[in-house]
Amino acid sequence: MESPWLIEERSNGATRSPIVDLDIALFVAVVERDGIQNAARALDLPRSTVSKRLSRLEKRLGVVLLNRNSRTLSLTPVGRIYYEHGKRALSCLNEAENAVQALKNEPSGTLRVSCAVMIGINAIVPRLPAFHRAYPKIRLDLSLSDKFEDLVASGFDMAIRFGTMSDSSLIARKVMSARRIVCASPKYLELYGAPEKPDDLHRHNCLNLSTLGQMTNVWTFQDGDRVRHLEVRGNFTTDSGAAHYAAILAGVGIGRVTQLRAMPDLEEGRLVRLLEAHDLASPTPIYAVMPGNRNVIPAVRAFMDFVSQIES
């Protein structure tokens, strides 16, 4: 039985102190390798070191464990008992270490994540039951905010963010994309028809969203090999994403939203996607980011992998 407790581990010249009594492990190795010389060779130790440790063990116990002569080595009766108990003890310790390693590598513990509101509500939260079934030992603490949090100062393990990362101290991994699509409710299309090309939007009521005082009435489309920017107009503008989306559902007009947000309503027929052939070829990337000075713990890796599987 080979045991990780036999000798002090040597790696790149470094020595790690063992956790258990090395003399016991050496004794078991000598018995199982049928001699001090064989054990010393297998463990890459001087023969004298193994012999001294065995003598030290016998002195501590106050008994003779091995009958030695120049040619043979055999267990004494008390040595046989000590060997059987020592072997079982080492086996239990091996099992304990394996169990600890398995727990260390299993995703668990509290995971603090900062996430953009739209992504969190529409992509993450609806899929949490599946995430918790896959990783029952992870407790997710999800903070929804459109602010760019300082991950280190705020104590977050990771964040889910739009766009390219400019902070070189962060580790970023693209996990999905946010494609902005044009859509309307069946109620609106029944009354006014559907646009067949971007220019047809000039004849439609296009709903706009104002963010931080800026209008978003310039919509971008793919027109063959070039990107085209089209200014649209309508009779309704709001600074609330929720109100803008509710107006589209109510049939007020045509709107441009993120596909992640609209997906459930598209699937249920409450919205109809328009001008799909003119969608931009390169949607906005969404990244999972974490501080660059931390090891990627299993819980973070599990959440990154989970988010990467979300269809956008």
Side-chain angles (χ1 to χ4, degrees):
M1 177 189 66
E2 200 66 58
S3 168
W5 312 104
L6 289 177
I7 57 171
E8 297 163 330
E9 292 185 15
R10 295 175 174 83
S11 178
N12 298 323
T15 300
R16 179 173 69 84
S17 296
I19 300 174
V20 299
D21 191 329
L22 290 176
D23 293 341
I24 300 174
L26 282 170
F27 169 68
V28 172
V30 168
V31 174
E32 295 187 341
R33 298 210 176 252
D34 196 26
I36 293 175
Q37 185 64 45
N38 293 337
R41 187 182 301 111
L43 302 176
D44 194 23
L45 287 174
R47 185 185 188 284
S48 59
T49 298
V50 178
S51 181
K52 288 178 181 178
R53 285 184 172 176
L54 286 175
S55 297
R56 181 173 62 187
L57 177 62
E58 289 179 322
K59 182 177 181 180
R60 177 165 64 85
L61 295 173
V63 297
V64 176
L65 300 172
L66 295 167
N67 295 314
R68 305 173 179 85
N69 59 42
S70 59
R71 294 185 178 181
T72 61
L73 180 147
S74 62
L75 285 166
T76 64
V78 69
R80 171 64 61 184
I81 295 173
Y82 194 75
Y83 165 72
E84 295 295 342
H85 282 280
K87 183 177 180 179
R88 285 199 297 272
L90 291 175
S91 178
C92 289
L93 286 169
N94 290 338
E95 291 178 8
E97 177 166 291
N98 291 336
V100 169
Q101 292 300 321
L103 288 174
K104 185 178 72 173
N105 295 325
E106 182 180 5
S108 62
T110 299
L111 179 66
R112 297 197 67 227
V113 178
S114 171
C115 182
V117 176
M118 187 281 296
I119 301 172
I121 291 176
N122 297 285
I124 305 297
V125 172
R127 294 167 175 84
L128 284 183
F131 176 75
H132 288 305
R133 284 194 298 270
Y135 305 103
K137 295 187 178 181
I138 293 179
R139 178 182 179 274
L140 182 63
D141 183 349
L142 184 66
S143 174
L144 298 184
S145 172
D146 291 326
K147 296 189 302 179
F148 274 55
E149 300 281 359
D150 183 326
L151 297 187
V152 176
S154 302
F156 288 106
D157 297 298
M158 64 181 298
I160 308 296
R161 294 177 173 173
F162 284 105
T164 304
M165 296 296 103
S166 58
D167 189 342
S168 60
S169 68
L170 298 175
I171 296 174
R173 170 181 163 186
K174 182 181 175 183
V175 290
M176 66 176 89
S177 298
R179 186 181 298 278
R180 296 186 69 80
I181 63 172
V182 177
C183 57
S185 71
K187 186 185 307 183
Y188 176 89
L189 297 176
E190 183 179 342
L191 292 174
Y192 303 103
E196 296 181 0
K197 56 185 183 297
D199 283 328
D200 291 344
L201 292 173
H202 291 308
R203 300 193 299 270
H204 283 273
N205 191 38
C206 297
L207 311 183
N208 289 300
L209 183 65
S210 62
T211 306
L212 299 178
Q214 295 182 340
M215 296 292 293
T216 58
N217 63 333
V218 177
W219 295 0
T220 307
F221 298 96
Q222 193 75 36
D223 187 4
D225 294 332
R226 68 188 180 97
V227 175
R228 184 179 178 195
H229 304 284
L230 184 71
E231 185 175 354
V232 298
R233 291 183 174 85
N235 62 9
F236 179 75
T237 299
T238 179
D239 62 355
S240 166
H244 175 258
Y245 191 73
I248 301 172
L249 285 171
V252 176
I254 295 175
R256 189 178 64 152
V257 298
T258 304
Q259 184 177 352
L260 278 172
R261 182 171 200 167
M263 188 60 69
D265 292 308
L266 291 170
E267 292 174 348
E268 295 297 326
R270 291 183 290 269
L271 288 177
V272 177
R273 186 171 178 176
L274 306 172
L275 303 172
E276 186 173 352
H278 297 276
D279 284 342
L280 284 179
S282 301
T284 302
I286 297 175
Y287 288 92
V289 298
M290 60 171 289
N293 59 350
R294 297 182 187 173
N295 292 326
V296 181
I297 61 175
V300 167
R301 186 178 295 108
F303 194 73
M304 279 189 176
D305 292 342
F306 178 78
V307 174
S308 298
Q309 296 170 11
I310 296 176
E311 294 292 335
S312 57

